[in-house]
Amino acid sequence: MKTELKKTLIQSISVFTLIVGVVIVGFYLNRPPRIISENAPLDEFSAVRAIKHMKHIADKPHYIGTDEHLKVRNYIIDELKRLGTQPELQIAEVYYPKSYIAATVGNIIAKLPGKENGKSVLLVGHYDSVENSYGASDDGSAVVTMLETLRLLLNKAPFKNDIIFLFSDGEEIGLLGAKAFIEQHQLAKNIGIVLNFEASGTSGQSMMFETSVDNNWIISEFAKAVPYPIANSVSYEIYRNMPNDTDLTPFKENGIRGLNFAYIDNRFDYHTGGDNINNTSLESIQHHGSYAVALAQHFGNIDLNNLEKGDAVYFNTIGSGFVHYSYKWIIPFLILTCLVLLVLLVIGFRNKIIRPIRLLFGFFAFIIHLAIIPSIVTCLYFILIKYYPENDFMLLFYNQKILLFGFVCLAVAFSFLYFKLLMRGIKIWHVLVFLISMIILLLWSGQINLITGFIAVGVSVIIWLLFRKPTNVWELSMGSFVGWTIIMITVSIMLPGVSYLFTWPLLFSTIPGGLYFLKRNPVEYSFTQTGLFLIFALPALLWFSNLTLLFLIAMGLKMAGAAVLFTVLCLSLLIPHIEIITRVKPWLVPVVAFFTGLFFVLYGSINLDYSERYKKENSLLYATNGNTNETFLSSFNNNTDEWTGKFLTDQPDTTKLSFFYAYSNRDYLKKTVNTEPLPVPIIEVLRDTIFDNNRLLKLHLKSGRKANSLYIQIKSDSISASINKSEMKKLKQINDTDWNLIRYFAFPQEGIVMELKLEEEQNIEINLTDIVYGLPQISGIEIPQRPNYMMSNGDKTMAMKSFFY
């Protein structure tokens, strides 16, 4: 008896240790490639060499229309000349009323001529930042990657195809540079493939997260060329169903094939002052460079006229191991998996290992498991943010990996406890403890209502009715397999690129189960059988643990419940493993996992404060209402803090700022100050005529100072407008109001000419607001620097004036 107990204990410890080990190794292998030093041969990409450009690219925020933006533009042009190329500066005016945008953009283009006249390879990265970010990763990382890649390629022999480098402008305000290149530049007519580089964080692996349609061919070539491919068609399916765009989007819309790359770890730095040189990862830039060099050389030497149709399923196996196959194989693999599961069920029924009614109960257990644990985690998230109101919730986001580890440990604890109790049979007190706990969580998190309360009671009743008697491990496991099969079929039809994520883990999991069912006396697990369980669980363990983290990084802590769903799905395939681990000490893992999870949730959420690395965002606005000559201070924040309170006081007035933002109904903080009003925008009427029953109004709009941008708000039911030499286009009303809006970025110092076409008898009101980013020296008001634990979320000065015609 002691020998048998010892054997079972060794099996339990071994299985648990190896599962944890596999997950740890999986995370270890999911790292960017090592950094290549600046002393490396010149034909190798070195992130250390590349990063030297960053101090000129991301020393300060360089939003379009600012002096810093022009400095970055000039630096890139100078570097391209120094490398021996002849860069072109494409100055283009763009005007898109449907997106309320107009601007003057400046694309920088460098070309490496090819030996033949085939299609060309285009590398793209934008050099503008958002107004409150240094733009080191987004998208300085692309700029320095492209400069280092260009240096390297210049030392190679000429390629078959032209290789073009596009340092695009205006990406952050609507992909304007990329659109201008496609619409107005001759080189855009012969592009064969686009490689776009982005960042939505400041570290992590650079992932190929998006492709164009009919990607089977391009994925095949990608797999041949890249030394460290990190990509999966899950991200492709998710991204194409989200309202997000990058500079690749206009090329895709014009039928040009392309690949999109980005790293996303530390996503809380995205579009904030945290996106700076110090926080930007050299490893991530090295990974960018490995793609840029390999793919530029590969596509630079092959025929880019391939017209092959069809999409691919693609994914990493372990680390940077990469597999891809055509969508044509999805259904055969699905059918194979269903057949294997069907055979397994038939054997289970014939050998009386599985009872049909209990299999159905196992399926319900799977559904309840998927619902309960993400719901618990979501309630915990709402509880935590209650203690960090306003923007202070970002403190939790800074600790999201710690919190996620805590949530995952709690998920493991609850899953082990849940399945063990179902195997033994549920007692009434188990159900009461669960129901009371859920009601407390719902009340504490503020998520209690008639529907959630009813669901909690209903789930409790179902658990009691179905699982009062013990359910064996294979009835629970096969019930989960049936649930997985339903998900697999649904996903394969609706999101075919995600199909592999459910097909292969399920197929692998059925194989050791089938071998176990074929044993004459399937009661005890041999060491060989246990080893097979572990080996065939590798896809689930490696993919779903990584996806749990990746999903949280991409979507944020608010989606922690959805992120943990990947862990829950993985655990639902590991019910035999759970049974092996809990045979001797059934409550050990649940208890240890619970208290470990509780520790990390508390550690990641108690007594948090801002620091030089994790900074608090706030904003200060200095504005003049030219209609009343009132000058005041305001903020985008809802409440004052220890810095803005010095200017706005603890209890400032509130105002709608309707003259500045006629389409916004929110309240803004406000404190009137006794200072000299800012110069206001100016309109000069050049012509006011009637033609063909329409009133034509030609106006010269000019900033009263050197503004970075001008917001033009026109109150009218129906109106068309042209800017400078653009064609007349109908304006679009905003936010269900009668106000039409045009935001002109990089506003010319000489102003613009706008022509309006409206009904003959129609009068209009025009509100002009010019904006300068940052705060000026204000006479009579001392504005000290922010404490080192704070950063700007969009300081600006604004001056507005209304005009009636």
Side-chain angles (χ1 to χ4, degrees):
M1 180 66 75
K2 288 184 178 181
T3 303
E4 202 61 38
L5 185 64
K6 183 178 179 181
K7 174 186 173 184
T8 305
L9 183 60
I10 291 172
Q11 280 184 324
S12 299
I13 294 172
S14 299
V15 170
F16 182 75
T17 303
L18 288 170
I19 286 175
V20 173
V22 165
V23 172
I24 292 173
V25 169
F27 282 119
Y28 177 79
L29 293 174
N30 279 286
R31 298 176 303 159
R34 65 180 180 86
I35 300 168
I36 304 296
S37 76
E38 63 179 319
N39 298 320
L42 294 178
D43 62 350
E44 291 187 50
F45 182 97
S46 167
V48 181
R49 282 194 288 256
I51 200 73
K52 289 183 176 181
H53 296 292
M54 194 70 86
K55 63 182 178 181
H56 303 283
I57 305 298
D59 182 51
K60 294 179 180 178
H62 43 284
Y63 196 46
I64 184 171
T66 62
D67 290 340
E68 289 300 324
H69 177 259
L70 293 178
K71 289 179 184 178
V72 172
R73 176 189 295 176
N74 291 334
Y75 175 79
I76 296 171
I77 292 172
D78 290 343
E79 277 301 298
L80 293 172
K81 290 178 179 177
R82 188 184 66 80
L83 289 171
T85 66
Q86 296 179 332
E88 174 192 350
L89 177 61
Q90 178 199 9
I91 299 295
E93 185 171 68
V94 291
Y95 172 42
Y96 303 114
K98 289 184 178 180
S99 52
Y100 312 108
I101 286 176
T104 301
V105 296
N107 291 326
I108 306 164
I109 303 160
K111 177 181 173 182
L112 299 184
K115 295 181 292 185
E116 301 181 9
N117 294 320
K119 290 187 176 294
S120 45
V121 181
L122 180 69
L123 283 77
V124 184
H126 67 89
Y127 67 90
D128 61 311
S129 74
V130 294
E131 61 183 276
N132 55 309
S133 170
Y134 296 90
S137 283
D138 180 23
D139 200 19
S141 62
V143 173
V144 303
T145 295
M146 290 164 64
L147 288 173
E148 171 68 0
T149 300
L150 178 60
R151 178 206 61 76
L152 188 154
L153 295 181
L154 282 168
N155 292 323
K156 303 277 186 178
F159 297 94
K160 177 180 176 181
N161 303 316
D162 292 346
I163 300 179
I164 302 167
F165 290 77
L166 171 61
F167 301 85
S168 61
D169 192 10
E171 190 272 352
E172 297 292 4
I173 56 172
L175 322 178
L176 301 189
K179 291 177 180 178
F181 179 78
I182 290 173
E183 294 169 1
Q184 303 181 32
H185 204 285
Q186 281 293 113
L187 288 176
K189 297 179 180 178
N190 198 41
I191 301 298
I193 188 166
V194 179
L195 309 174
N196 185 61
F197 294 89
E198 267 287 357
S200 188
T202 53
S203 67
Q205 291 176 303
S206 179
M207 175 183 290
M208 195 284 288
F209 68 97
E210 182 190 15
T211 76
S212 48
V213 297
D214 294 321
N215 60 28
N216 201 10
W217 173 78
I218 200 172
I219 290 296
S220 177
E221 298 302 322
F222 169 80
K224 294 175 188 176
V226 176
Y228 306 103
I230 300 298
N232 62 69
S233 45
V234 172
S235 63
Y236 166 65
E237 290 284 7
I238 292 173
Y239 192 83
R240 73 174 181 172
N241 286 287
M242 293 178 68
N244 297 330
D245 293 309
T246 68
D247 272 343
L248 180 63
T249 304
F251 293 96
K252 288 177 58 179
E253 290 173 347
N254 281 270
I256 301 172
R257 288 176 168 173
L259 299 170
N260 218 348
F261 303 89
Y263 53 90
I264 65 171
D265 207 354
N266 290 346
R267 198 167 191 271
F268 44 74
D269 288 325
Y270 178 59
H271 283 186
T272 75
D275 183 4
N276 56 47
I277 298 172
N278 294 332
N279 297 336
T280 296
S281 166
L282 276 172
E283 289 89 347
S284 301
I285 293 176
Q286 188 68 50
H287 206 174
H288 259 1
S290 72
Y291 291 130
V293 172
L295 291 171
Q297 292 182 101
H298 181 76
F299 287 116
N301 280 318
I302 66 173
D303 184 0
L304 299 178
N305 289 298
N306 188 290
L307 299 177
E308 179 184 330
K309 299 292 185 180
D311 286 308
V313 176
Y314 52 95
F315 51 90
N316 291 104
T317 51
I318 300 175
S320 58
F322 193 72
V323 170
H324 61 96
Y325 53 85
S326 169
Y327 274 16
K328 296 174 183 177
W329 286 98
I330 291 175
I331 298 302
F333 289 144
L334 183 151
I335 293 172
L336 172 63
T337 304
C338 291
L339 288 176
V340 172
L341 178 60
L342 182 61
V343 170
L344 185 60
L345 290 173
V346 170
I347 296 172
F349 291 144
R350 288 182 60 184
N351 293 350
K352 298 183 179 179
I353 301 171
I354 305 169
R355 295 163 289 179
I357 189 62
R358 286 286 163 177
L359 172 68
L360 181 61
F361 290 177
F363 170 72
F364 284 121
F366 167 78
I367 298 297
I368 293 169
H369 180 228
L370 290 193
I372 289 176
I373 296 178
S375 299
I376 291 172
V377 171
T378 300
C379 286
L380 290 174
Y381 165 75
F382 281 113
I383 289 169
L384 295 180
I385 63 171
K386 286 176 67 175
Y387 296 95
Y388 292 94
E390 299 296 331
N391 288 336
D392 288 346
F393 71 86
M394 281 304 302
L395 288 166
L396 295 170
F397 279 59
Y398 294 146
N399 272 1
Q400 62 184 15
K401 288 185 181 178
I402 294 172
L403 292 170
L404 178 64
F405 182 71
F407 292 149
V408 167
C409 286
L410 293 176
V412 169
F414 295 142
S415 294
F416 271 65
L417 181 64
Y418 174 76
F419 286 119
K420 195 64 181 179
L421 288 175
L422 296 188
M423 293 176 205
R424 291 191 167 193
I426 294 292
K427 309 297 183 185
I428 187 64
W429 69 268
H430 296 153
V431 176
L432 292 175
V433 169
F434 167 75
L435 179 58
I436 292 169
S437 300
M438 287 304 301
I439 295 298
I440 291 172
L441 277 175
L442 291 169
L443 284 168
W444 194 1
S445 64
Q447 303 305 302
I448 189 72
N449 55 47
L450 188 62
I451 294 174
T452 56
F454 178 79
I455 291 173
V457 172
V459 169
S460 302
V461 171
I462 291 171
I463 291 173
W464 167 244
L465 292 175
L466 298 185
F467 301 105
R468 286 175 293 173
K469 296 180 181 180
T471 305
N472 75 48
V473 59
W474 289 108
E475 290 165 341
L476 291 173
S477 188
M478 292 300 106
S480 289
F481 286 5
V482 171
W484 265 73
T485 303
I486 293 171
I487 296 174
M488 175 186 68
I489 294 170
T490 304
V491 164
S492 296
I493 295 170
M494 300 183 67
L495 298 169
V498 185
S499 60
Y500 81 91
L501 195 59
F502 294 94
T503 302
W504 296 109
L506 178 57
L507 179 60
F508 272 55
S509 295
T510 59
I511 294 171
L515 296 174
Y516 176 79
F517 280 14
L518 292 172
K519 290 175 61 177
R520 291 185 178 180
N521 185 24
V523 178
E524 296 299 325
Y525 301 104
S526 66
F527 279 106
T528 301
Q529 186 73 48
T530 304
L532 289 174
F533 281 137
L534 285 169
I535 291 171
F536 284 96
L538 285 176
L541 289 170
L542 291 169
W543 294 347
F544 281 84
S545 57
N546 186 57
L547 276 169
T548 299
L549 177 60
L550 187 63
F551 188 87
L552 185 88
I553 290 170
M555 305 304 293
L557 191 62
K558 61 183 179 295
M559 297 296 289
V564 169
L565 180 62
F566 289 109
T567 296
V568 175
L569 280 164
C570 178
L571 290 168
S572 69
L573 285 183
L574 302 181
I575 298 174
H577 306 70
I578 293 173
E579 199 265 343
I580 293 171
I581 292 168
T582 58
R583 276 191 167 187
V584 177
K585 301 286 185 180
W587 312 122
L588 180 61
V589 170
V591 169
V592 171
F594 175 80
F595 283 104
T596 302
L598 188 62
F599 170 80
F600 279 98
V601 169
L602 294 175
Y603 177 75
S605 62
I606 291 179
N607 294 327
L608 303 182
D609 207 350
Y610 297 100
S611 66
E612 289 189 44
R613 173 61 183 92
Y614 304 120
K615 297 187 178 186
K616 181 176 185 175
E617 294 183 273
N618 56 22
S619 65
L620 190 64
L621 312 178
Y622 179 60
T624 290
N625 183 340
N627 299 332
T628 61
N629 278 339
E630 178 190 25
T631 301
F632 59 91
L633 294 170
S634 185
S635 176
F636 290 125
N637 301 98
N638 293 322
N639 294 297
T640 59
D641 56 32
E642 57 271 32
W643 188 73
T644 56
K646 295 177 182 178
F647 318 107
L648 296 169
T649 71
D650 292 335
Q651 293 183 325
D653 296 330
T654 59
T655 184
K656 295 293 184 186
L657 292 188
S658 55
F659 288 114
F660 294 87
Y661 303 110
Y663 47 87
S664 173
N665 197 40
R666 64 160 285 191
D667 290 324
Y668 294 83
L669 304 177
K670 176 186 174 185
K671 181 186 177 183
T672 301
V673 292
N674 187 22
T675 58
E676 188 71 22
L678 296 168
V680 297
I682 303 164
I683 295 183
E684 177 188 358
V685 179
L686 302 179
R687 186 175 66 236
D688 188 354
T689 60
I690 302 297
F691 178 75
D692 196 21
N693 296 323
N694 289 310
R695 183 184 182 193
L696 300 178
L697 194 59
K698 190 174 184 179
L699 308 171
H700 180 210
L701 281 56
K702 192 173 181 181
S703 169
R705 53 207 178 119
K706 189 180 177 182
N708 303 131
S709 61
L710 183 75
Y711 280 29
I712 307 163
Q713 300 171 102
I714 305 173
K715 192 173 186 179
S716 172
D717 292 333
S718 178
I719 189 168
S720 298
S722 67
I723 296 177
N724 293 333
K725 297 180 181 180
S726 69
E727 64 181 83
M728 189 74 67
K729 298 179 182 178
K730 185 174 176 59
L731 298 186
K732 180 182 176 184
Q733 293 178 328
I734 187 168
N735 292 358
D736 296 321
T737 69
D738 51 4
W739 285 95
N740 303 271
L741 172 67
I742 298 173
R743 300 172 295 166
Y744 198 111
F745 295 91
F747 191 71
Q749 196 166 355
E750 68 275 13
I752 60 172
V753 174
M754 172 178 278
E755 189 163 2
L756 303 176
K757 183 170 75 173
L758 51 153
E759 294 177 2
E760 182 176 352
E761 302 298 327
Q762 187 178 357
N763 296 320
I764 59 169
E765 176 183 353
I766 302 175
N767 285 355
L768 295 187
T769 301
D770 66 9
I771 298 171
V772 174
Y773 302 105
L775 295 170
Q777 294 294 324
I778 305 172
S779 177
I781 300 178
E782 182 182 354
I783 300 181
Q785 286 190 340
R786 285 177 170 82
N788 57 12
Y789 61 88
M790 286 186 175
M791 59 185 171
S792 168
N793 188 31
D795 296 343
K796 55 176 61 100
T797 66
M798 305 187 299
M800 70 79 53
K801 179 73 175 176
S802 296
F803 302 86
F804 300 87
Y805 300 102

